[in-house]
Amino acid sequence: MPRNPDSAAAPSASSAGHGRMEKLLVLAAVCLSLLALPFNFTGPAVAMPAIARSLGGDPIALNWITNAFMLCFGSSLMIAGALADGYGRKRLFLIGQAVFLLASLALTVVHDLLVLDLLRALQGGAGAGAFSAGLAALAQEFDGQARTRAFSLIGTTFGIGLAFGPLLSGLLVETVGWQAIFLGTAVLSAIAFGFGWRFMRESRDPGAAGLDWPGAASFTTALSLLTYAVLLAPEEGWGSAWVVGLLAGTVALAALFIRIETRAARPMLDLTLFRFPRFVGVQLLAAAPAYSFVVLLILLPLRFVGIEGWGGVGAGWMMMALCGPMLVVPMLAALLTRWFSAGVLCGAGLLVTAAGLVLLSQVPPGMAAAAMVPPLLVIGLGISLPWGLMDALAVSVVPKERAGMAAGIFSTTRVAGEGIALAVVGAILAGFVRTGLATVSGPVDPATLTLAAQRLAMGDLAQAAATLPQAGPALLVQAYGDAFHGLLFVLAAITVVSAVVVFGFLSRTVPVAEPELVPAAE
């Protein structure tokens, strides 16, 4: 593999001659496809209380509405990136969109929680295919600063979905029903499919030699086992035989994957890339927003609806304060790369985000909604800086023809990190709540205390009060507020450490679109 990606930066034959308008329509197809992902991520979080009333289920089962999507999305991204390079970006994009569309339509008529979770898993796998193929297709269409601007629109697209998704979801849940959320994602998928079918040109890596099936199988299985172990641990305990066995399987399969990739002629993951600091830095950057921003997309709606009692629409309006900056800041970040390195901008954004998390920790439940708006805006402003630059960085640190692989690696790191972060942060919050409840509830059965803590961490104040009636709603809210306060300080500390790491790996002044791959030894 060449060290300088510019040596392989010539446009592929399939994209040669693509006019400006056609390129913009391809960008529109990818943006419409990606718009369905944040809407599909935040919407079920707002609708979860309504889904629980409709289909039933305990807190663990309801968590899988989000976890099933995240697990399959994150586990499939690496394979999707390799398939996009080897078998065609347009082909995989259209297949992913079609399956996502069908799964979304099926979710509108489901009447069983288990079936809903399975369809969410199918959505995740299909979304991974469309996501990786779409980013790889854009990398073939745009170069230089045009690529930076195009990928900054990806961040803006996510911002639109994240900003308006909770509000629109709340309106749909309260006026039509939670099924309408999935109908909305189906409409977006259908439009994206039509644009992609008409305007996207086929492209692939001319050096691809087919999918590395042994590597793909071992990697996907290892990642699935790891994610499932983290998701299961809060329910079973880290010392349970199931969790220990899953973690042991993860280690064994990871070792097997490394062995396979070091011997493969055309590996799914080129392990030599990890010699380059910028490539390593991009992967570390991918996981940073999980603890500073993504977990809030789930935890805050649960708090607003279940603890604050604002309703779905009220929660949606409040989430706009958090996600609104993404409507403009990613484009601003792309412009700022003319004067500052992407690493400096990303690290500075993470520090601003950490400050916002500390400010948010000072707003306990029950305060006026206006008190929460400033810290949410600070968090949204800070995280929008790296959010608009990450995807362009991901595909710029490898040769252009391997853009699908780069998108797959980066997206796998990001989404797998988000899935693990959701499970870990949820467990931390439930643990903090349990500790607080233990001090106010008096002698109580440990299993009952744990169940009450889980329900309260999920924002189900009514069920937590029914499980632990001796505590009373006021003490339950106080315990939740203290736990949330402590959790935000933990998230702020993780974010500061992430910022320091990003400064160390990515702060060199290298243009986003034309990086220099410098081995770590140098």
Side-chain angles (χ1 to χ4, degrees):
M1 176 174 292
R3 287 195 175 190
N4 192 332
D6 293 338
S7 65
S12 64
S14 62
S15 63
H18 227 166
R20 174 179 171 80
M21 182 55 65
E22 292 169 310
K23 291 175 182 288
L24 292 177
L25 290 170
V26 172
L27 177 60
V30 176
C31 286
L32 284 169
S33 169
L34 300 184
L35 183 60
L37 293 179
F39 184 73
N40 196 62
F41 180 69
T42 59
V46 175
M48 198 172 294
I51 294 174
R53 291 192 298 268
S54 175
L55 303 181
D58 58 37
I60 301 299
L62 291 168
N63 270 332
W64 279 99
I65 298 173
T66 300
N67 293 340
F69 180 87
M70 296 295 294
L71 174 60
C72 290
F73 188 85
S75 299
S76 304
L77 282 166
M78 187 77 77
I79 291 180
L83 286 173
D85 285 339
Y87 295 101
R89 284 108 186 188
K90 177 178 180 177
R91 178 182 300 174
L92 187 64
F93 178 82
L94 293 178
I95 292 173
Q97 283 301 122
V99 176
F100 192 92
L101 169 61
L102 293 174
S104 298
L105 290 174
L107 281 164
T108 64
V109 296
V110 70
H111 297 288
D112 182 82
L113 186 58
L114 176 60
V115 176
L116 186 146
D117 288 341
L118 292 175
L119 288 171
R120 289 282 288 163
L122 182 61
Q123 270 191 322
F131 182 84
S132 293
L135 294 187
L138 287 185
Q140 314 310 308
E141 297 288 348
F142 296 94
D143 291 295
Q145 282 295 323
R147 180 190 288 179
T148 303
R149 290 192 297 271
F151 275 88
S152 71
L153 280 175
I154 300 300
T156 300
T157 299
F158 269 92
I160 293 172
L162 293 173
F164 294 100
L167 176 60
L168 182 57
S169 298
L171 288 170
L172 290 173
V173 169
E174 294 186 5
T175 59
V176 182
W178 59 264
Q179 294 88 345
I181 292 175
F182 299 112
L183 182 60
T185 62
V187 172
L188 289 172
S189 298
I191 299 173
F193 182 91
F195 271 68
W197 178 277
R198 175 65 180 85
F199 300 110
M200 190 177 287
R201 297 189 182 187
E202 189 59 277
S203 64
R204 57 176 57 88
D205 179 3
L211 183 62
D212 173 21
W213 287 108
S218 57
F219 177 86
T220 302
T221 307
L223 183 58
S224 298
L225 292 181
L226 173 61
T227 307
Y228 186 54
V230 175
L231 295 174
L232 193 64
E235 179 183 2
E236 299 289 337
W238 287 99
S240 71
W242 269 107
V243 174
V244 172
L246 289 169
L247 293 175
T250 300
V251 173
L253 286 169
L256 177 62
F257 171 73
I258 294 173
R259 182 179 178 87
I260 291 171
E261 297 304 278
T262 54
R263 297 187 175 190
R266 187 71 171 178
M268 182 179 70
L269 172 58
D270 188 351
L271 297 175
T272 61
L273 290 172
F274 286 95
R275 294 182 298 158
F276 304 122
R278 284 175 58 77
F279 181 83
V280 175
V282 166
Q283 309 316 311
L284 295 174
L285 174 62
Y291 294 91
S292 56
F293 176 71
V294 175
V295 294
L296 299 181
L297 299 176
I298 301 298
L299 295 180
L300 287 178
L302 295 176
R303 170 177 170 170
F304 295 155
V305 175
I307 305 298
E308 306 282 1
W310 291 345
V313 176
W317 280 113
M318 188 58 63
M319 292 299 290
M320 288 190 68
L322 176 67
C323 303
M326 283 197 177
L327 300 178
V328 293
V329 176
M331 292 295 295
L332 176 62
L335 293 175
L336 290 175
T337 57
R338 295 177 180 271
W339 301 281
F340 303 96
S341 75
V344 168
L345 292 172
C346 291
L350 291 175
L351 289 179
V352 172
T353 305
L357 291 168
V358 173
L359 291 175
L360 184 59
S361 71
Q362 307 306 307
V363 185
M367 288 190 68
M372 193 169 286
V373 171
L376 291 181
L377 285 173
V378 172
I379 295 171
L381 174 64
I383 203 63
S384 294
L385 285 172
W387 198 272
L389 300 173
M390 293 191 300
D391 293 293
L393 277 168
V395 299
S396 69
V397 294
V398 299
K400 184 176 179 179
E401 74 273 9
R402 301 303 302 275
M405 180 197 69
I409 297 169
F410 174 80
S411 300
T412 296
T413 304
R414 178 164 66 181
V415 177
E418 290 169 357
I420 293 172
L422 285 170
V424 170
V425 171
I428 293 174
L429 179 60
F432 284 172
V433 171
R434 190 184 189 282
T435 301
L437 291 179
T439 62
V440 299
S441 61
V444 65
D445 177 62
T448 301
L449 191 63
T450 298
L451 179 60
Q454 289 176 345
R455 292 192 180 279
L456 194 56
M458 289 285 294
D460 195 342
L461 180 60
Q463 288 295 324
T467 304
L468 206 65
Q470 62 268 41
L475 290 177
L476 291 175
V477 171
Q478 179 184 341
Y480 178 91
D482 293 342
F484 210 90
H485 172 87
L487 175 67
L488 289 172
F489 271 97
V490 172
L491 299 182
I494 294 173
T495 305
V496 169
V497 172
S498 300
V500 172
V501 172
V502 168
F503 277 126
F505 280 93
L506 294 173
S507 60
R508 291 193 308 119
T509 306
V510 180
V512 173
E514 299 177 358
E516 298 174 5
L517 294 182
V518 182
E522 297 176 16

